Amino acid sequence: MKMLALLSAGIAASYCYKTVKTNKQNSSKPNFDEIIKQSLLKDFLV
């Protein structure tokens, strides 16, 4: 159970990192909290 939690946390962190990295290239100063919120909500709404 702990391994599953660590794995899912790692996947979420890598997805958020990729999203932030992609958005940072597109805009000069992105709001980190807003990017995380949008990426997490996008996963649940799809």
Side-chain angles (χ1 to χ4, degrees):
M1 196 65 165
K2 288 181 183 179
M3 184 61 99
L4 179 62
L6 287 174
L7 180 65
S8 50
I11 291 171
S14 65
Y15 179 76
C16 291
Y17 175 75
K18 281 181 13 181
T19 304
V20 169
K21 187 177 177 183
T22 303
N23 286 341
K24 211 175 234 187
Q25 293 171 353
N26 294 339
S27 65
S28 59
K29 194 172 184 181
N31 184 356
F32 182 77
D33 291 332
E34 191 63 32
I35 293 169
I36 299 300
K37 183 174 131 187
Q38 288 175 359
S39 64
L40 291 175
L41 288 176
K42 182 173 64 172
D43 285 343
F44 286 115
L45 294 176
V46 171

